[in-house]
Structure formats: C-alpha cells, structure tokens
Amino acid sequence: MTTPLPADDTPTPDDAALRSGCAGAPPLTARLEPWMRELLADPATCAGLLETYGSPLNVHEFSALARNAAELTAAATEAGVDLRIFVARKANKTLELVSSAREAGHGIDVGSHRELDQVLDLGVPAEEVVVTAAIKPRPLLQRALGSGSLLVLDNLDEAAAVDALVAGTAAPQHPVAVRLAPRPDQALAPTRFGESAATWRDWAARRDAAQDPLRIDGVHFHLHGYDVRTRAAALDEALELVDALRGQGHHPRFLDIGGGIPMSYLEDAEQWAAFWEAHDAPGATGPTWRGEPLRQVYPYHQQLVRGSWLRRLLAERTSSGSSVAEALRERGLELRCEPGRSVLDGCGMTLARVVQRTATSDGQALVGLEMNRTQCRSTSDDFLVDPLLVRTGGTPSEPFDAFLVGAYCIEAELIQRRRVRFPGGVAIGDVIALPNTAGYLMHILESASHQIPLASNVVRTATGEHHRDRIDAVSPLRPWDPARDG
Ligand SMILES: Cc1ncc(COP(=O)(O)O)c(C=O)c1O
C-alpha cells in the first residue's frame, strides 16, 4: 500500500543509486523533491557548499511551497469556501520563506517580535500578517497595534494589556481575533493556549462593538495533533462562539483553524508499519539507540495530507447537521489557516560532513558528524526519515551498522536515535544529507552551545546556484538590547 505521490516526486531510475549509501535498519525511505535528487547526485557541489558555508548547512528551495499551499486552496474552492493561508514563520526562520509565501499570494503568521519586525521590514502589508505569538510582551503588542497587524488574543491578561495600550487613543479600531481553547474530551487534548468559549463570550459581552477600540474580526484555535474529527469538533465550537459574538453585536468574519495540517515524509505506508513492528517486537534490542523506545513522534507517514485532509474536514458534519463547508458558507465566514510544516514539505535539506568513524567502549559503531543534534530536531523524539550518504571520494570504512552522533559533549548526542546501515562503509569527508528538514527540524531547537555557530542557511535557485539567506545577517544570538528590543 503506497500513497500516490505528486507527479514530480516520481522516483527516477537513479534513485536506487542515490539511496544506496545508507538506509535505516529497518528503512524509512524519504520522499525527495527533484532539486534534492539533483543536488545529492552532485558530490562536488555538496562538499563545496560545506567548504564555503560550514557544516552543517541548511539548503532551501521553496518551489514546493506554492504547490503545497495550492492543494489547500483547491480543496477549499471545491467546497465553495474562501480560504486564506498565513504561512507560519516559526517553522523556518529564513527570509526567503517570507518572500516565497508572498509570491504565492499568502500571508504570514508570526510568533515573536523579531519575526514581526522582519516581516514588516520586508514590506509585507500589515493586513497580511497575523500575530499568534504564545507570549506577547508589551513591545510586541505595541508593534502589532502600531502596524495594524491582526493580533490573536490568547488570554484575558493579554486582552487587558492590549486594552491598556489602546485606551484613550484615537486610532481606528484595531483588528483582533480571540483564541479559543476548545473543550477537552477523550479525543481533544487539553491545551494551555486560549480561553474557553464561555470566557470569551463574557469578555465580549462587556464591550460595545461600536465604541470598542478593538474590532473582533475572528475566532482562532490551534490544536496539537492532526486528527480531522477533533478539528471538526473544535470548529463546531468555534462556530458557536462566532454566532454568540454576532448575537452581541460584534462582527467576526473569519474562522482560523491554525496549523497542524498533516504531511508525509515517507513514501511508503508499509515501511512505517514495519518500523513500528520492529520497534515494538518483544525481546528484540530494537532499531533504536540502546533499544530505548520512542514515545512521542511525528506521524512521518499519514494517509490524509494537505488537500485530502482539508477536503475531509470540510465534509465533516457539524452539530447542526450541515457540513463544515456549509456552516462556513451559511455564515459568510472566511476560513483561515496557518500551516507551517505541511507547506514546507520538500523545501529544505540539511547537509553535514563526516568527521570520524568511532565506536563506543562496548563496540557500537558511530559516525561522527560536524553538527549537533539541535540542528535536526523537533519536539518529536526522533526524525524518522532515512539519511542519504553522498560519497566524496575518500577511503570508506568496512560496511557497518552505526548511529550518527554530533558535537555536544553528551553521551546520547545522537543526530538520529535510529540505527543506520552503511553497506559500503563511510569515508571521512563524505556528506550525510538529512532530507526534508525545512519544517521545524532545522531551526526550532537549534542552539549554539559550546560556542559552536548555528548552521548557515542557503537558498538554491532554479538554475542550481546557492546564495546565503539574509536571515544569517540578522544574528539570532544577539542578546536582548533595550535600544532595539525595548
Ligand atoms: C498558533 C499556531 N499556528 C500555526 C502553527 C503551525 O503549525 P504547523 O507547522 O503544524 O502547521 C503553530 C505551531 O505550533 C501554532 O502554534
């Protein structure tokens, strides 16, 4: 059972050669974009890029973004629903992501003051920006209010802070949305974000829509997880809140379902099932480091992704019996979403240089990379996607099964927690490629501990040239500075 791939993901005859250098044991074969295949088939360029920009290196190519987002738009259009997409910047820090999202006609979701500043400085109009930062310090609130970007109010303290800032100002009404924390139940996990529908109803009831310096433009939620049914349940509750707000004289006109739209990193559902069989096999040492079980991992293979997932969501029944699409249409509501990971599918790859082949004192082979584990990490216990080996002409070791380890002085400094098979060995100077890392894996947890610099970020052009992304000039390591950030 293999999920159909988009046309340009079709494996080429050279695929087997590209993947012959290494594979997980058992394998979890990565989906590759054509640009990734091209680069991986060119060892001189891979090695040259690491020479020029250092190891590891994040290579980006954003042509898949428009295609990924178009899947969502097509599903909404088919259901007669107006959809606006705001690409979640927190998933990847490059400025090229912002430009690519804008070129594809989408807005930007920002998660911090610097993200907002950078987006506005790039000339993104304020009405194309949504501020969903989890914590919004005063300077961020001031910048959002001053620019006219839509603020998603997370909680009552934040709403009070905003009220204090706008009190007495003669500015036009400022657009806000309220963040709903849907009622938890067996399927819908509790969340630390947002307030209950009842809390927002009471808050809004005390405000006079005509006089209010804030204008409630929408209801927002973002759920952990990918399940269509729980999204539909949260959406149902959000629709009720929209109705209640309208009943109070407010005019919400959109419903924002946040991110968490699924994607697949793997080509083959059967491989995914086989991996878990091996992982759970009783008595076996298992495919992971020291046999340690993985607890919380991203579903690296999913049946419903992007367009098919949204189609299913829009067809779900609401409590009134109509479909989600009908309920949105009946109310004249625009649907919004803030996908990060799923629109970055196919947009990035991390390259790292092999520095050494060693073994633990009890004989477990290790391949040491010039990178650390925060440079390919998310909140998932592991990145369950096979790396690829690019041979650069050195003398390989004997064939072996090994673990990839990195530069931090920690015993379990594992780039991946999964055993990797090298049937032709590994040479010093070879390049390990971690495919499809643009969504979160490169940036969300990267650290510069031990004073090891963060990875460089380059963008690959349609003609195969590479240039540094401008984010690297805006060092994220600068400490807080009252003159700039206060
Ligand atoms: C409010 C909000 N919107 C959007 C996103 C993006 O989610 P994803 O990358 O899973 O699509 C997140 C991720 O944490 C979020 O917190």
Side-chain angles (χ1 to χ4, degrees):
M1 178 177 49
T2 303
T3 308
L5 304 171
D8 53 0
D9 271 346
T10 312
T12 64
D14 299 333
D15 238 49
L18 284 184
R19 300 180 195 273
S20 62
C22 69
L28 290 171
T29 307
R31 292 185 47 244
L32 298 175
E33 285 290 314
W35 72 265
M36 295 177 186
R37 292 196 171 90
E38 231 175 80
L39 180 55
L40 292 165
D42 182 354
T45 299
C46 291
L49 283 169
L50 293 181
E51 268 312 301
T52 308
Y53 295 103
S55 176
L57 175 67
N58 297 320
V59 185
H60 299 82
E61 207 270 17
F62 285 106
S63 56
L65 184 144
R67 187 185 77 217
N68 293 335
E71 280 186 40
L72 298 170
T73 311
T77 306
E78 271 169 37
V81 168
D82 288 333
L83 177 73
R84 264 182 93 189
I85 297 173
F86 292 78
V87 174
R89 246 206 98 182
K90 59 179 80 82
N92 183 286
K93 70 183 181 186
T94 56
L95 297 185
E96 191 72 16
L97 166 63
V98 179
S99 315
S100 303
R102 295 296 301 141
E103 273 159 33
H106 306 301
I108 311 291
D109 161 28
V110 298
S112 74
H113 191 176
R114 279 191 193 167
E115 282 193 6
L116 175 61
D117 273 348
Q118 290 164 3
V119 162
L120 294 173
D121 291 350
L122 283 174
V124 180
E127 57 279 10
E128 299 292 332
V129 179
V130 54
V131 182
T132 62
I135 297 281
K136 302 185 188 70
R138 212 173 130 95
L140 167 57
L141 293 176
Q142 283 167 321
R143 183 75 164 119
L145 292 167
S147 67
S149 322
L150 186 120
L151 259 174
V152 174
L153 301 179
D154 179 79
N155 57 73
L156 294 183
D157 278 353
E158 194 173 283
V162 171
D163 274 337
L165 287 170
V166 295
T169 59
Q173 282 189 308
H174 191 88
V176 297
V178 293
R179 184 163 183 166
L180 171 68
R183 257 186 312 273
D185 63 21
Q186 274 184 336
L188 215 155
T191 173
R192 82 170 168 108
F193 298 111
E195 299 277 10
S196 69
T199 302
W200 286 125
R201 263 199 321 268
D202 293 349
W203 174 80
R206 297 192 295 272
R207 311 179 76 92
D208 173 353
Q211 306 293 324
D212 196 339
L214 305 183
R215 191 185 69 221
I216 304 172
D217 276 2
V219 171
H220 169 281
F221 65 83
H222 169 82
L223 300 185
H224 194 66
Y226 311 95
D227 181 48
V228 169
R229 291 239 170 87
T230 51
R231 277 301 178 305
L235 224 147
D236 205 27
E237 212 183 322
L239 287 167
E240 273 176 36
L241 179 56
V242 164
D243 293 344
L245 293 171
R246 285 181 172 175
Q248 294 168 343
H250 298 285
H251 305 286
R253 58 187 179 79
F254 71 77
L255 205 156
D256 184 338
I257 59 170
I261 294 167
M263 63 167 276
S264 270
Y265 289 83
L266 306 177
E267 290 185 332
D268 189 345
E270 279 177 9
Q271 273 191 348
W272 185 233
F275 168 76
W276 286 105
E277 237 171 77
H279 176 275
D280 297 339
T285 48
T288 57
W289 174 253
R290 306 260 179 233
E292 287 167 9
L294 302 171
R295 291 191 174 83
Q296 202 204 329
V297 291
Y298 186 80
Y300 288 90
H301 187 279
Q302 303 188 72
Q303 287 299 334
L304 291 179
V305 299
R306 289 183 294 267
S308 54
W309 180 89
L310 184 58
R311 221 166 270 124
R312 180 76 69 86
L313 174 63
L314 291 171
E316 283 286 314
R317 294 285 133 192
T318 63
S319 50
S320 69
S322 56
S323 70
V324 166
E326 284 160 355
L328 291 167
R329 284 201 309 265
E330 280 160 11
R331 290 168 175 80
L333 279 174
E334 179 182 86
L335 181 67
R336 294 188 176 187
C337 62
E338 296 146 10
R341 189 193 293 268
S342 60
V343 290
L344 284 160
D345 184 5
C347 296
M349 184 158 68
T350 300
L351 305 179
R353 195 185 284 127
V354 173
V355 171
Q356 61 197 26
R357 292 111 358 134
T358 58
T360 59
S361 52
D362 61 350
Q364 173 58 62
L366 305 172
V367 172
L369 300 184
E370 191 176 344
M371 75 180 281
N372 68 70
R373 78 192 141 123
T374 72
Q375 294 169 317
C376 180
R377 251 303 168 279
S378 69
T379 52
S380 188
D381 279 354
D382 200 10
F383 181 51
L384 292 175
V385 178
D386 285 358
L388 294 102
L389 179 69
V390 181
R391 297 191 179 288
T392 56
T395 310
S397 63
E398 290 298 305
F400 57 25
D401 285 3
F403 287 86
L404 303 179
V405 292
Y408 285 173
C409 299
I410 295 166
E411 271 299 337
E413 164 66 354
L414 295 153
I415 305 299
Q416 292 183 298
R417 304 189 70 80
R418 205 158 52 95
R419 183 172 293 112
V420 182
R421 184 152 291 163
F422 292 91
V426 188
I428 292 168
D430 280 352
V431 176
I432 290 282
L434 298 152
N436 219 353
T437 50
Y440 296 107
L441 278 307
M442 296 172 173
H443 296 145
I444 192 138
L445 293 179
E446 67 175 344
S447 72
S449 182
H450 305 28
Q451 299 302 304
I452 297 172
L454 299 184
S456 298
N457 293 281
V458 296
V459 177
R460 182 175 167 90
T461 65
T463 50
E465 279 113 45
H466 300 86
H467 60 83
R468 196 183 265 284
D469 188 87
R470 284 164 296 155
I471 195 68
D472 286 356
V474 189
S475 168
L477 291 181
R478 288 177 308 167
W480 190 81
D481 172 355
R484 189 190 54 234
D485 304 311

